[in-house]
Amino acid sequence: MTAARISAAQARRIAIAAGGLDGALPGERGRTGAKTLQRAIARLGLLQLDSVNVFERSHYLPLLSRLGPYDRTALDRLLHHDHGRRLGGYTEYVAHEAAVIDVADWPLWAWKRQQPMRPSDERWAAEHSTLIDGVLSEFAERGPMRPSEMEHPAHQRLPGGWWNKSDAYWATAVLFRRGELVTVGRSRFERRYAVADAVLPEAARGEVERGEAHRVLVARAAEAYGVATLDDLADYHRLQRAETQMAVDALVDAGELEPVSVEGWSRPAYRWARARNPRRVRATALLSPFDPIVWHRPRAERLWGFEYRISIYTPAPQRAHGYYVLPVLVDDELVGRVDLKSDRRAGVLRVQHATVEPSHAARAGELAERLAPALAEAAAWQGLGSVEVTGPGTWAREVAAAVRRG
């Protein structure tokens, strides 16, 4: 099949539209209820989780970018975060990294639950098999609970921070990876587990054959991306490249994927057959570091020339753009990045660093005017009274001026 050729600008617009960001403009979106949240999650396929809360935890942010300032407690109710002790419509698994998934998708991950963990984890599990069985028995006897609520003798609070966990805690991690424990919600962001066989609905207890599961997952990645390389599609659900290629070949044969050649891309690409190809897109959005539109850093660099690192794992002296760094999308370009902190005590959203991309520096003032309403919207959504630009950066002066005028 001859690959159609598309321009770099078309690829950006296709990607933004497929990712649900076309039309994401502050003040121009309607009310958001549970069904809207469910549709947005379904479109992405998952919400990546992360514990960092300096601005807001990551799983809340892709929905803010797409839907505007929705009620976070509505999402908490859907995910059973601090609400109840039973399994709802969503659970969690290692479906990219740790992520929220639909319970109905549990059978798609049977292949992963059955494959070995890392060699070091397998050795630990073999050495602690009696402990693991004991922990599972406690959950079976006592029902849903957090690891911190366990009474197992091997569970004890240890000094040294979150990484210094008891052996019983690590047993729950093994049982989660194997799918013997499932997440039924969270309390204070700590997982609440239950025995899978006790809480999963009958429809979620089956298994999808490995090859078919990969085909479904690659199709979802292709639909969410719009246009992508093989590596992009593999990364979405962290699949092996060879198995992704087999799935891609099957989807091309079925007419669901179309081979394309994208201007400036050195590798073959594929377009989702039903992807929109808008003539222009309109968007202004703050993107989570774990938003699918940017989470595969090579893709962000290929689409936008945007070299991106979140920086929370970077030593402070080496941080070029701040700590919790969010890319800024304006229309079909990533134009800059801002380091945000929700100062809840002072009631202020602090812009601790603001950097405009060098290729957009000539439009820094105009782009800051587009950014300011998104910052104001984010602050109000966080229950904060104002936005203050308190740090340096090549964009700080223009953003501060736009915030003052706003």
Side-chain angles (χ1 to χ4, degrees):
M1 181 183 297
T2 303
R5 182 166 178 80
I6 62 177
S7 70
Q10 282 178 302
R12 291 194 297 270
R13 294 194 298 269
I14 291 169
I16 292 165
L21 286 159
D22 185 15
L25 292 162
E28 296 188 18
R29 292 162 290 197
R31 295 179 61 122
T32 299
K35 290 188 182 302
T36 305
L37 294 175
Q38 289 170 320
R39 285 194 296 269
I41 297 170
R43 183 170 194 162
L44 297 173
L46 52 87
L47 296 175
Q48 185 173 337
L49 293 154
D50 189 81
S51 62
V52 176
N53 195 29
V54 64
F55 168 49
E56 181 55 274
R57 289 197 171 100
S58 65
H59 66 287
Y60 292 106
L61 297 179
L63 301 181
L64 172 68
S65 300
R66 289 155 178 80
L67 306 177
Y70 67 95
D71 181 0
R72 283 167 296 171
T73 62
L75 181 61
D76 289 342
R77 285 192 294 271
L78 286 175
L79 305 185
H80 284 205
H81 285 191
D82 298 321
H83 294 277
R85 297 169 59 85
R86 63 181 178 82
L87 187 66
Y90 297 93
T91 186
E92 298 176 16
Y93 198 59
V94 189
H96 177 75
E97 296 294 332
V100 170
I101 64 168
D102 195 306
V103 167
D105 289 342
W106 190 252
L108 287 172
W109 296 98
W111 61 273
K112 189 165 189 175
R113 296 191 292 271
Q114 294 163 4
Q115 72 181 17
M117 299 176 288
R118 294 178 301 183
S120 60
D121 293 338
E122 287 292 335
R123 286 193 299 272
W124 188 94
E127 293 166 1
H128 295 82
S129 59
T130 300
L131 165 63
I132 292 169
D133 290 343
V135 168
L136 183 60
S137 295
E138 182 175 349
F139 276 90
E141 179 180 343
R142 295 182 59 201
M145 61 182 169
R146 296 175 292 165
S148 62
E149 297 171 316
M150 287 189 293
E151 296 174 352
H152 195 284
H155 176 59
Q156 54 185 317
R157 297 186 183 278
L158 301 173
W162 65 268
W163 62 88
N164 199 8
K165 303 293 189 181
S166 70
D167 283 346
Y169 173 89
W170 293 117
T172 65
V174 171
L175 291 163
F176 169 71
R177 178 64 171 72
R178 292 174 175 172
E180 295 179 75
L181 291 180
V182 296
T183 305
V184 297
R186 287 183 178 243
S187 295
R188 297 181 180 177
F189 208 64
E190 182 184 7
R191 282 190 181 118
R192 192 164 54 249
Y193 291 118
V195 175
D197 288 345
V199 296
L200 283 174
E202 192 65 35
R205 296 186 188 184
E207 297 181 4
V208 176
E209 183 272 327
R210 184 180 183 118
E212 174 61 14
H214 279 65
R215 190 196 67 77
V216 172
L217 293 171
V218 171
R220 290 185 181 180
E223 185 172 8
Y225 272 158
V227 61
T229 67
L230 179 69
D231 288 345
D232 297 339
L233 297 172
D235 180 77
Y236 203 95
H237 295 104
R238 299 290 165 86
L239 308 179
Q240 294 295 316
R241 199 172 190 275
E243 290 180 294
T244 303
Q245 183 68 71
M246 293 173 63
V248 164
D249 292 344
L251 291 165
V252 169
D253 289 344
E256 295 183 59
L257 278 182
E258 302 167 347
V260 293
S261 172
V262 180
E263 176 191 3
W265 292 19
S266 61
R267 297 181 180 182
Y270 303 89
R271 178 172 54 193
W272 181 244
R274 295 185 292 280
R276 288 177 53 219
N277 186 6
R279 295 178 63 86
R280 69 188 297 242
V281 294
R282 291 282 288 164
T284 304
L286 299 164
L287 300 178
S288 162
F290 307 107
D291 193 299
I293 205 83
V294 293
W295 67 15
H296 188 41
R297 309 310 191 209
R299 175 178 167 81
E301 188 166 352
R302 192 183 328 113
L303 271 168
W304 289 286
F306 192 80
E307 295 183 21
Y308 177 48
R309 298 293 180 271
I310 181 176
S311 296
I312 59 176
Y313 308 115
T314 304
Q318 299 174 26
R319 292 175 193 148
H321 305 293
Y323 178 72
Y324 197 74
V325 182
L326 282 73
V328 178
L329 176 71
V330 174
D331 297 336
D332 64 347
E333 296 282 1
L334 293 179
V335 302
R337 58 197 89 197
V338 290
D339 173 22
L340 298 185
K341 178 179 180 179
S342 293
D343 187 339
R344 296 170 178 90
R345 179 172 296 181
V348 174
L349 178 62
R350 299 195 183 279
V351 182
Q352 301 187 122
H353 205 290
T355 305
V356 67
E357 288 298 285
S359 57
H360 297 286
R363 301 174 57 213
E366 169 199 344
L367 294 170
E369 295 293 339
R370 294 285 300 274
L371 172 61
L375 292 171
E377 184 179 76
W381 177 67
Q382 286 277 288
L384 304 173
S386 63
V387 178
E388 293 183 10
V389 180
T390 58
T394 59
W395 206 10
R397 180 172 58 84
E398 291 85 358
V399 173
V403 165
R404 287 194 298 270
R405 284 192 291 270

